Amino acid sequence: MKVLVINCGSSSLKYQLIDSDSERVLAVGICERIGQDVSHLKHTPEGQSKIVIETTEMKNHEVAIEMVLHALTDEKHGVIKSLDEIGAIGHRVVHGGEKFACSTIINDEVIAALEECSELAPLHNPANLIGIHACEKLMPGKPQVGVFDTAFHQTMPPKAYLYGIPHEYYKKYKIRKYGFHGTSHSFVSKETAQFCGLDINNSKIIVCHLGNGCSISAVLNGKSIDTSMGFTPLAGLVMGTRCGDIDPSIIEFMAKKEGKTLDQVMNVLNKESGLQGMSEVSSDFRDLNDAVDEGNELATIAFQVFCYNVAKYIGGYVAAMNGVDAIAFTAGVGENDWRVREWVCEYLGYLGVKIDLELNNTKSKLLMLTGPECKTKVCIVPTNEELAISRETVELLK
Ligand code: ADP
């Protein structure tokens, strides 16, 4: 079956057409600046170079999806003859609240439940819903599946997901830890078990998803029992531009001192903080590495803060699971940044971890960094959220 995987952001739309039998990516692309004066569609058919279409017509996500469908069936750079070849559509949905503990076939009831969850992810869920409605309009009756970022973490016990605030706020508003990047944590934990020769049903795995957004999860016997992001993706680790865990009183203090509204302070914490804010250099680890090499002090400290926090979360999850069999690094930073892995692993001597520094410095994808003598294995395991969504979609429609 060919599965169209769609990931709608507020002003962008990423897509992949995946042949689920061979797991080949037939086409991949992105619509950027949807709703702005000039938008782009970047489309790369398998084995061909990227084409870029500039347009003033991409007024909304529906038009964007229409353009994607045209590109997929285009005579020159298309990869299918007709839309009938698409068997199903898999949507990445950011927030499933407490309602969705696994992926689900989308119907009217599910759409209503998603609308309810929108309050919990006001920037993301409305865009996801627009994508779902647009697909239904353009390909009526085609099965659609929602795969939630939060679903994998619904196995967390109350002691992990409840905050130290009056219980009435959980009862009234469902204020609790949800966790995100669940599709990645689920995919990578399974791949890690397989790569390390572990029985997933009898395993203790820590997944470090380090990208622009960063989160760590503790996966016990294949189930998430804790994760670093919280009620929103702002919590946990210091990230590219997000602050991660801070004392909540800072918000009031900053607002008063700077004469900012709550929205303005939240904007600082979401978009101007993290490594970007701390280093005053960049949120991108490639730039940060250059700055560290040049001896930039703020960049070096920001880098240290990042790695120290990752190591502390790992330590916390070793305690939560009473041990760890494997630690996996994944996503843009986790897969590519040797320095982050080296500096984090320097804290893990108590686990007997000793990584091969030369191997760690090579450009390779799936890679074991520890030798057979290490009881706790450390590895690089590439994530692939689109493939995970395609697999889930096919599984549900079986
Ligand atoms: P997103 O959260 O947007 O999915 P990714 O997982 O793609 O993010 O990670 C993007 C980040 O990965 C970039 O901002 C950059 O910091 C980092 N990155 C990508 N390539 C490299 C590299 N070769 N070395 C170090 N960091 C890298």
Side-chain angles (χ1 to χ4, degrees), residues 107-121:
N107 55 27
D108 290 346
E109 219 175 296
V110 170
I111 289 178
L114 282 178
E115 275 161 3
E116 257 177 60
C117 294
S118 281
E119 201 181 38
L120 296 171

Side-chain angles (χ1 to χ4, degrees), residues 14 181 209-213 283-286 289 331-333 336-337 363 385:
K14 294 185 198 155
H181 291 144
H209 177 112
L210 311 177
N212 270 323
S283 64
D284 193 302
F285 276 77
R286 287 162 287 201
N289 269 300
V333 177
N336 295 302
D337 196 311
K363 280 203 185 344
E385 284 161 290

Side-chain angles (χ1 to χ4, degrees), residues 44 55 74 162 183 198 237 264 276 312 314:
T44 313
T55 171
D74 186 83
L162 285 178
T183 310
L198 297 165
L237 297 167
Q264 287 169 329
Q276 161 92 61
K312 282 201 297 182
I314 291 175

Side-chain angles (χ1 to χ4, degrees), residues 90-111:
H91 292 269
R92 175 198 180 204
V93 181
V94 168
H95 219 306
E98 286 189 323
K99 285 218 169 74
F100 299 105
C102 56
S103 306
T104 184
I105 297 175
I106 293 168
N107 55 27
D108 290 346
E109 219 175 296
V110 170
I111 289 178

Side-chain angles (χ1 to χ4, degrees), residues 179-190:
F180 298 86
H181 291 144
T183 310
S184 176
H185 286 290
S186 165
F187 179 85
V188 173
S189 55
K190 286 190 196 109

